[in-house]
Amino acid sequence: MKLIPFLGFNGNTHEAMAFYARALGGKVVSEMKYGDMPPSPDMDAEGCGGFMPQPEHVAHCQVEAGGAILMAADGPATDGQGATTINVDVDSVEEAERVFAALADGGQVQMPLAETFWARRWGMLVDRYGKPWMVNCMKPMDGGQ
């Protein structure tokens, strides 16, 4: 299991993550804009959980520096600075389901745990203490199952 900080920004993820890569001596290893994502059945006229992304904004960006990983996206913010979420990255669907259920107990599910184009399972929640979490069980990078 890995715990990965996930930073939310208000339209300046690209600039911020390039800065962090330079400052930390790492590099941006991936970046995708909302407009480049395949259509999602969860996205409708209301957006995704009430958030309507702009096509030119960053949906996912990852910086790697040494053994550390930092992820970010332009997304719904709780204040003018954006939000910080803890991303739990696990190796199996069973572990994703277990961790998600445990963290959601007494909390509020924002996006139910489900398969996505990038993950075998992914979901978002706010725990009973008000802290935001994501649970990810990634698909292999080659696109396999």
Side-chain angles (χ1 to χ4, degrees):
M1 177 184 301
K2 295 178 195 167
L3 299 178
I4 301 169
F6 189 96
L7 307 176
F9 292 95
N10 297 322
N12 60 348
T13 294
H14 177 81
E15 176 185 333
M17 293 297 275
F19 169 78
Y20 296 141
R22 286 189 308 274
L24 298 172
K27 64 180 180 174
V28 174
V29 296
S30 66
E31 183 173 294
M32 176 183 279
K33 296 185 186 233
Y34 286 105
D36 297 329
M37 293 174 63
S40 169
D42 296 325
M43 187 72 71
D44 57 21
E46 300 288 319
C48 182
F51 167 65
M52 182 58 76
Q54 299 299 311
E56 70 277 6
H57 283 178
V58 175
H60 173 78
C61 187
Q62 183 167 319
V63 166
E64 293 181 5
I69 297 172
L70 183 63
M71 294 180 176
D74 292 313
T78 56
D79 60 35
Q81 299 301 312
T84 300
T85 300
I86 301 299
N87 178 34
V88 181
D89 185 24
V90 298
D91 293 328
S92 71
V93 168
E94 296 78 19
E95 184 70 351
E97 290 171 352
R98 184 194 70 75
V99 170
F100 191 85
L103 289 169
D105 184 24
Q108 181 180 22
V109 172
Q110 295 175 313
M111 293 295 292
L113 194 66
E115 186 169 358
T116 67
F117 75 90
W118 73 87
R120 290 183 176 125
R121 293 292 184 276
W122 175 82
M124 292 177 58
L125 63 99
V126 175
D127 71 20
R128 66 176 71 183
Y129 304 104
K131 301 301 180 190
W133 294 83
M134 286 190 286
V135 175
N136 248 315
C137 177
M138 303 295 284
K139 289 181 179 174
M141 295 303 267
D142 66 359
Q145 297 293 323

